[in-house]
Amino acid sequence: MVFPAIYKCSIRFKIKTLFEDVMISLCILFSASAYLLGSIPFGKVIAWRAGGFDITKRGSGNIGATNVTRELGFKWGLLTLAFDIIKGFIPLFVFRYFASPAAVTGFEIKLAFIALSALLGHQFSVFQGFKGGKGVATALGVYLGISTVTMFSCLIALIIFILTVYKWNFVSLGSLISASVTPVLLISLGESYVIVTLSVIITVLIYFKHRENIMRLIKGEEKAWRQTKLSQ
C-alpha cells in the first residue's frame, strides 16, 4: 500500500510541476506580447492617418493623447487616449481569463510582470527606437486590468487628476500628482505588497518620462491645457 501512495504522490508532483512550467511559459509569452502591444505608437499612427504628419515632429514631440489633441483636436486625442488605455488593459484581462489566482503560484507576481511589460512597451517602444510616451494612459489601463482594488484606486486618482488640471491648468502636474497618490491609495485599501511595489515602479517611470515637464513647471514654462484647441 505504501508504494502506490508514493507513486500517486509522484504523479501529482509531476503534474503540478508541469502546470507551473506551463504557467511560467505563458507568463513569458504574455509579457512579450504585452510589450509588443504596448510598443505600438497609436498616437503616431492616428496623427499620420488623420493629419498626414509625424506627431513626433510636432508640438512637444510626444505620441500621447495630450500632444495629439493639441495638434489634431479633441476627437483624435480622445481616440489616442482610448487606444493607449486599451493596450495596458487587454494583456492583463486576457491573462486573468486564462489563469486563475487560486491555481497559479505567484499569480500577482506574474500579473505585475505583464503589467510592467505593457507600460515599458509604451514608454520605450521597440518601434520608436526605444522612445515613447509618458505612460499615464497605459498605466490607467494597467490599473483597470489588475483588480477591483486597483480599479477603484485608479478612479480616485483620475478624479484627482481632473481636479488638478481644472485648478492649475497643467496636464503634466495632474499626471504627476495622480501617479503619486495611487500607491498611497493602494496601501490604504489593503492591496498586496506586490501590487503596491508595482505601483511605486510605475510612479517612478512616469516621473522619469516627465522629467522635462517637471523642469518646465519649475521654471514656469509649461504649456497650459486651456491653450489647447479642442474644436477640431
Side-chain angles (χ1 to χ4, degrees):
M1 296 295 293
V2 175
F3 290 106
I6 295 174
Y7 178 75
K8 287 180 181 179
C9 288
S10 176
I11 292 296
R12 288 181 189 140
F13 177 76
K14 288 179 180 179
I15 292 173
K16 183 179 179 182
T17 302
L18 178 62
F19 178 76
E20 289 178 355
D21 289 342
V22 170
M23 284 297 103
I24 291 172
S25 299
L26 193 63
C27 176
I28 293 171
L29 176 63
F30 268 86
S31 295
S33 300
Y35 175 79
L36 290 174
L37 178 61
S39 291
I40 300 174
F42 285 113
K44 187 172 183 178
V45 174
I46 289 169
W48 181 257
R49 296 288 294 178
F53 59 83
D54 185 352
I55 193 66
T56 62
K57 297 178 181 178
R58 296 279 288 269
S60 66
N62 192 263
I63 61 172
T66 301
N67 196 38
V68 173
T69 300
R70 284 172 175 159
E71 298 301 317
L72 270 176
F74 182 75
K75 176 177 67 174
W76 301 110
L78 187 62
L79 185 62
T80 301
L81 177 67
F83 274 113
D84 285 347
I85 292 172
I86 287 170
K87 68 185 184 181
F89 175 79
I90 288 294
L92 297 168
F93 177 80
V94 177
F95 182 75
R96 289 179 66 88
Y97 178 81
F98 283 104
S100 169
V104 178
T105 303
F107 177 82
E108 285 191 335
I109 295 176
K110 293 178 176 65
L111 204 64
F113 270 109
I114 295 168
L116 194 57
S117 296
L119 180 64
L120 289 173
H122 178 76
Q123 293 181 320
F124 306 97
S125 170
V126 68
F127 305 124
Q128 291 282 106
F130 298 100
K131 297 178 182 179
K134 304 296 175 64
V136 178
T138 304
L140 173 59
V142 162
Y143 285 128
L144 291 175
I146 292 176
S147 70
T148 53
V149 174
T150 58
M151 184 185 298
F152 182 68
S153 299
C154 182
L155 293 175
I156 295 174
L158 181 60
I159 292 171
I160 293 172
F161 167 82
I162 293 170
L163 292 175
T164 302
V165 176
Y166 179 79
K167 174 68 176 177
W168 286 286
N169 202 21
F170 295 112
V171 172
S172 57
L173 182 62
S175 299
L176 292 167
I177 292 176
S178 59
S180 299
V181 301
T182 302
V184 179
L185 289 169
L186 292 174
I187 291 171
S188 65
L189 292 171
E191 186 57 273
S192 71
Y193 77 93
V194 173
I195 302 304
V196 171
T197 302
L198 170 66
S199 72
V200 171
I201 295 172
I202 288 174
T203 300
V204 170
L205 287 169
I206 288 175
Y207 265 76
F208 175 75
K209 295 296 287 188
H210 278 83
R211 59 193 184 279
E212 293 179 1
N213 302 82
I214 293 171
M215 293 306 300
R216 288 196 294 268
L217 284 168
I218 292 172
K219 294 178 182 179
E221 299 173 355
E222 183 72 328
K223 188 174 182 180
W225 170 247
R226 293 189 185 94
Q227 295 175 2
T228 301
K229 296 179 181 180
L230 301 177
S231 59
Q232 294 177 328

